[in-house]
Amino acid sequence: MNELLQQTKNDLFLILPMVQLSLFGLGILITDFLLEARYKYWNAVMALLGVAFSGFSLWRLHLILQERGYTALLGFNRSLVIDNFFIFFSLIFLAATALIILLSVRYMEIEEEHHGEYYALMLFAVVGMMFMAAGYDIIVQFLGLETMAISFYVLAGFLRRDRRSNEGALKYLLLGAFSSGIFAYGLSILFGLSGSTNLEDITAAVAGIHQQRTGDILVLLAMVTVAAGLFFKVAAVPFHMWAPDVYEGAPTPI
């Protein structure tokens, strides 16, 4: 029982940066109702505090890796890997988010759309990005990707009185749902071939299939569908048809 509690404590410590962002995002949603219009900038202050706390937790994880001489910390039954790769990209996410928050305060006041949901969704999107950087399991990767994407669907159409914003967000949502289905289909094939959702197990299974040449077609189909889903998210040719309308309609900082 003590070992289970200790393991749970260690796992929660590994995801502390994501937990802090989520708590600050929820806090912004709650306190936004208590703020008058002239004090809405406090939402941005809380979002920046969340970014700062998360960054501090990342720094503590980095120090633990250095002090103990570990290359990585595994958590949640090998579904998350906390290493320098995760810390590096997470710090980039946080730095970009802090910059966007600072740029958004005046912009949202001008657009008269200064709502707490804007900053909360931004923090939730970063949580999804962090889980993608740490994920060592295709379920974690998919959930992280969709957490980020759903937040962006709403943020792209946050200017509710702007028809271009509404149109761009709708196109983004519909095409995003379609690409998510393709991506999930590819992941399901990988799970069927390997019998596991862990990336290490999937890699070993695919390597074995390639050596035996028993299921190369299925592996190719899985790779094509997974790549198609990811290429859509980064607007790579030929999956970039959504980008012009969404970039035109979304709020400038987003």
Side-chain angles (χ1 to χ4, degrees):
M1 187 64 180
N2 291 332
E3 293 181 0
L4 179 61
L5 291 175
Q6 184 63 35
Q7 183 62 43
T8 302
K9 181 180 178 181
N10 293 337
D11 288 343
L12 291 176
F13 179 73
L14 295 181
I15 62 170
L16 185 59
M18 297 81 124
V19 171
Q20 288 173 328
L21 288 175
S22 300
L23 291 177
F24 271 92
L26 294 174
I28 291 172
L29 292 176
I30 295 173
T31 59
D32 181 57
F33 293 103
L34 306 177
L35 297 175
E36 298 179 10
R38 56 179 176 171
Y39 296 123
K40 290 292 185 179
Y41 66 89
W42 279 105
N43 291 322
V45 173
M46 286 190 64
L48 286 173
L49 284 175
V51 170
F53 273 89
S54 182
F56 178 72
S57 296
L58 285 173
W59 180 249
R60 289 183 62 193
L61 289 173
H62 174 67
L63 292 179
I64 290 175
L65 287 174
Q66 282 190 328
E67 291 172 358
R68 300 182 182 180
Y70 295 160
T71 57
L73 297 171
L74 299 177
F76 292 94
N77 195 25
R78 295 193 308 150
S79 62
L80 289 177
V81 175
I82 306 300
D83 55 6
N84 289 327
F85 176 91
F86 162 75
I87 293 173
F88 174 76
F89 279 98
S90 295
L91 289 175
I92 290 179
F93 300 151
L94 292 177
T97 304
L99 178 62
I100 294 169
I101 291 171
L102 293 174
L103 292 173
S104 297
V105 177
R106 181 58 180 161
Y107 178 85
M108 300 310 286
E109 287 180 354
I110 294 173
E111 296 290 342
E112 297 181 354
E113 293 285 359
H114 210 170
H115 306 293
E117 294 91 336
Y118 178 83
Y119 301 101
L121 287 168
M122 202 179 299
L123 296 185
F124 295 150
V126 179
V127 171
M129 297 178 196
M130 284 186 171
F131 273 111
M132 286 191 68
Y136 204 53
D137 189 285
I138 57 176
I139 296 177
V140 175
Q141 290 284 340
F142 183 77
L143 291 177
L145 179 64
E146 290 308 301
T147 300
M148 177 194 71
I150 291 172
S151 300
F152 280 145
Y153 296 155
V154 182
L155 288 171
F158 206 81
L159 303 180
R160 292 170 291 180
R161 294 186 293 272
D162 189 335
R163 290 188 176 182
R164 292 179 302 174
S165 186
N166 297 335
E167 178 186 357
L170 182 60
K171 290 181 178 179
Y172 193 17
L173 171 63
L174 295 177
L175 293 173
F178 178 71
S179 70
S180 295
I182 296 176
F183 182 63
Y185 179 68
L187 296 181
S188 68
I189 296 176
L190 291 176
F191 172 71
L193 292 172
S194 62
S196 173
T197 58
N198 185 270
L199 290 178
E200 184 177 355
D201 297 337
I202 291 174
T203 302
V206 170
I209 290 172
H210 180 66
Q211 290 178 353
Q212 300 174 6
R213 299 190 180 278
T214 56
D216 283 348
I217 295 178
L218 288 176
V219 173
L220 179 61
L221 178 61
M223 293 297 103
V224 169
T225 50
V226 168
L230 292 177
F231 285 172
F232 172 88
K233 301 300 182 184
V234 297
V237 176
F239 306 97
H240 63 302
M241 72 292 292
W242 59 271
D245 292 317
V246 176
Y247 276 62
E248 183 180 4
T252 302
I254 298 302

